[in-house]
Amino acid sequence: RRRTMMYTNLRRSLSRRWLSSRSVNLPEWVARHGPSLKPPVANKLLFDGGLKVMVVGGPNARSDYHLQTGEEFFLQLKGQLVLKVLENGIFRDYAVNAGEAFLLPSHVPHSPQRGPESVGLVFERSHVDDEVDGMLWYNPDGSIDYEEYFHCVDLGTQLKPIIERYHDFKQRGGEPSVLFKDGDRPIRPDPDVRLAKAQPFPDEKTSGILYRGDEIRCDAVTGPKDLGATAAPYDVFVWQQRGHSSFRIGENKNQDAPLQPLHPGDVTLIPKGAPYDWHLPNDDALIVTVANAYA
């Protein structure tokens, strides 16, 4: 029921944008906004909705670990990301270099460490109303030094006061204001998770399934092909990797509204529930899609 209510609200807010779906040239966007992707605000929201698409830059130096219910998909555009995780009680580092992707399962404490001049995309689904995230600081032995739990609306703004309370706790040398026993924590790490190393993002000749998680789906589609639906089953991020395509998103898709062009490097978002048409004219056309299949 909670998932249905969440997506009903999302459809209401997104329906107003169906007829003005925008595309963004990602390389141009990064060139324009990249210099501003620095601490303390190192990320910008590119697309919002059931699927959140963020552009995140470096360098950063975080000691906290983020714990959440949903999956995260990292696609590194420039520089290096080192994803520090606590995997089955063991601290591990997973490097994600430029041109590589990494799918992080849910319930894995993780701390993204981004190198200088690095830029990457991060995909995650929106949080449902009663979902709780955790921010945790660990001791070297894996025990928790400090922790807070909260409903995540905007991590970029919510993180700062939590970090400030953590530093105040360390300066006082006392105990945190709230202590949790293992059974009382509102969200806990998955004790059986197994992570895979980052993989090179497929080259331009690849077509078909690229990554498949419980929630995140990533596919490559080549032309010539026509795609379409009266209602998109979920939010879909579309990235024109090669060649050109054209699309129409909105309630007037079956009328004579003109198709919008998508050029190499352009990205856009098909909202869940939106009707759409997509035309890939020839075998030179390649799009990569990242979808939120959580429902």
Side-chain angles (χ1 to χ4, degrees), residues 6-198:
M6 177 186 71
Y7 284 114
T8 298
N9 293 334
L10 283 172
R11 281 195 296 272
R12 289 171 181 168
S13 63
L14 289 170
S15 63
R16 294 189 294 269
R17 298 187 294 170
W18 285 355
L19 301 180
S20 59
S21 298
R22 65 188 179 97
S23 62
V24 176
N25 185 271
L26 189 58
E28 292 178 1
W29 191 98
V30 170
R32 184 167 62 252
H33 295 282
S36 67
L37 298 175
K38 307 295 181 186
V41 181
N43 68 82
K44 289 183 180 294
L45 192 62
L46 190 62
F47 293 105
D48 198 2
L51 176 69
K52 293 182 179 292
V53 184
M54 294 164 282
V55 186
V56 188
N60 71 337
R62 291 175 56 176
S63 58
D64 60 278
Y65 283 72
H66 182 208
L67 180 61
Q68 68 179 42
T69 302
E71 296 175 340
E72 290 188 56
F73 185 57
F74 298 86
L75 208 166
Q76 195 66 12
L77 304 175
K78 179 182 177 184
Q80 186 186 65
L81 159 68
V82 175
L83 198 62
K84 293 183 173 293
V85 302
L86 185 64
E87 182 180 358
N88 303 315
I90 300 174
F91 290 105
R92 300 186 190 277
D93 290 353
Y94 287 89
V96 187
N97 297 306
E100 293 184 334
F102 184 89
L103 181 60
L104 181 73
S106 63
H107 293 88
V108 177
H110 56 283
S111 181
Q113 308 295 319
R114 299 183 178 274
E117 306 302 322
S118 64
V119 179
L121 295 177
V122 180
F123 302 82
E124 64 177 34
R125 63 168 173 79
S126 294
H127 291 61
V128 298
D129 291 341
D130 58 353
E131 216 166 50
V132 174
D133 284 32
M135 300 301 300
L136 305 96
W137 282 260
Y138 287 95
N139 297 308
D141 63 358
S143 61
I144 296 175
D145 184 35
Y146 185 81
E147 59 191 325
E148 286 199 24
Y149 300 91
F150 60 100
H151 174 64
C152 184
V153 177
D154 182 354
L155 186 61
T157 59
Q158 291 175 279
L159 180 59
K160 183 179 178 181
I162 296 176
I163 292 176
E164 290 173 348
R165 288 192 290 272
Y166 165 72
H167 287 307
D168 180 64
F169 156 70
K170 297 300 286 185
Q171 290 175 357
R172 288 186 288 105
E175 296 295 328
S177 56
V178 178
L179 292 173
F180 295 89
K181 296 180 180 180
D182 285 341
D184 296 333
R185 291 186 173 93
I187 179 173
R188 286 174 284 176
D190 183 347
D192 301 315
V193 71
R194 295 291 185 273
L195 304 185
K197 293 182 179 180

